[in-house]
Amino acid sequence: MRAEPGSRTGDRGPTSRGDKRRDALLRALDELLHESDLESITIAGITARAGVTRSGFYFYFADKAACMAALGAHVYVASIAAAAHLSDDSLPAAHRIERMVYDLTESVRRHHYLYRAMLDARRHSGTIREMWAGYLDSFVAPMAQYIDSERAAGRAPAGPHSRTLAALLLGLSDRMLEGLGPTETPDDQRRVDALATIWLRSIYGTSEIARPRASPVTP
């Protein structure tokens, strides 16, 4: 049986001692992020909260940024879930775009403390910047494929190179998400609505197929 990622040689399965120590370190960082900003959190503080030795920390993570990267994977998973709406054939095209944008913004609010910590880490760590760039890049091909399929089906007009368009739209979305707070404000709502409109117009050449935000999307 193959050892789980992060476990020691000889550890077995997700309940191994190694996994428990790693999970304890991630839980400790998660708890500390509710109390302080990432810059103020030390490895000593993480290990003390987790009940793991300093050498134990370095067994799993090269530094604090690597630990933050592992914890921040929750943000990436939520983004994947939001993007999955694009493949939902039960929804009209415009509804897929709307759901993706609105679910993405809601996921950022739901994990706001993690998202802010990731942004903080990105400013100070080349490792996190590379990881974040990898996250964004991993969405480019699926988005480009969606654009190409909509064009091939005649639902979207011909336009800019699909990968280039997808990369620009994702970059714009990333910048918009950076400014979101933990609770929705009227300005936030307008920005999210504007982003959905930009996606729709960029892909479909119109936003008339989009419904007003006041009319929620129904399954």
Side-chain angles (χ1 to χ4, degrees):
M1 178 175 169
R2 183 175 60 85
E4 294 295 320
S7 64
R8 290 182 184 274
T9 302
D11 284 340
R12 299 290 182 174
T15 59
S16 68
R17 286 187 303 163
D19 288 336
K20 289 179 180 178
R21 286 191 291 267
R22 184 178 186 276
D23 289 345
L25 290 165
L26 292 175
R27 281 196 304 272
L29 177 57
D30 184 81
E31 291 173 3
L32 290 167
L33 286 170
H34 283 88
E35 303 167 10
S36 181
D37 60 272
L38 182 64
E39 191 67 15
S40 301
I41 297 171
T42 64
I43 291 175
I46 297 171
T47 56
R49 179 70 63 96
V52 175
T53 64
R54 190 176 183 87
S55 62
F57 177 93
Y58 286 114
F59 181 87
Y60 300 104
F61 306 109
D63 50 29
K64 185 173 66 174
C67 188
M68 183 65 241
L71 184 62
H74 292 293
V75 177
Y76 181 56
V77 170
S79 299
I80 292 175
H85 288 305
L86 292 180
S87 60
D88 187 351
D89 294 333
S90 68
L91 295 174
H95 294 199
R96 299 180 201 178
I97 295 292
E98 289 177 332
R99 281 201 166 180
M100 179 190 70
V101 171
Y102 297 141
D103 280 10
L104 184 59
T105 55
E106 286 305 311
S107 73
V108 167
R109 288 200 179 93
R110 190 163 55 250
H111 302 284
H112 188 261
Y113 72 101
L114 278 181
Y115 189 77
R116 301 313 303 179
M118 288 289 287
L119 291 178
D120 186 29
R122 187 169 69 177
R123 286 190 290 270
H124 298 92
S125 167
T127 300
I128 296 293
R129 283 194 295 275
E130 289 179 11
M131 184 199 72
W132 197 274
Y135 281 175
L136 285 178
D137 189 60
S138 71
F139 286 105
V140 172
M143 294 297 180
Q145 183 178 4
Y146 173 80
I147 293 170
D148 288 337
S149 66
E150 290 297 282
R151 290 173 177 175
R155 290 186 290 267
H161 186 269
S162 58
R163 284 188 66 92
T164 301
L165 179 58
L168 289 172
L169 288 171
L170 287 165
L172 176 63
S173 301
D174 186 43
R175 292 297 299 274
M176 189 279 291
L177 292 172
E178 289 181 18
L180 290 180
T183 57
E184 187 177 66
T185 67
D187 282 345
D188 283 347
Q189 180 176 325
R190 285 190 286 270
R191 281 193 288 267
V192 173
D193 289 343
L195 180 63
T197 298
I198 290 170
W199 272 84
L200 288 164
R201 287 183 178 174
S202 298
I203 297 174
Y204 296 101
T206 179
S207 61
E208 292 180 1
I209 54 177
R211 293 164 297 92
R213 177 81 181 279
S215 302
V217 178
T218 55

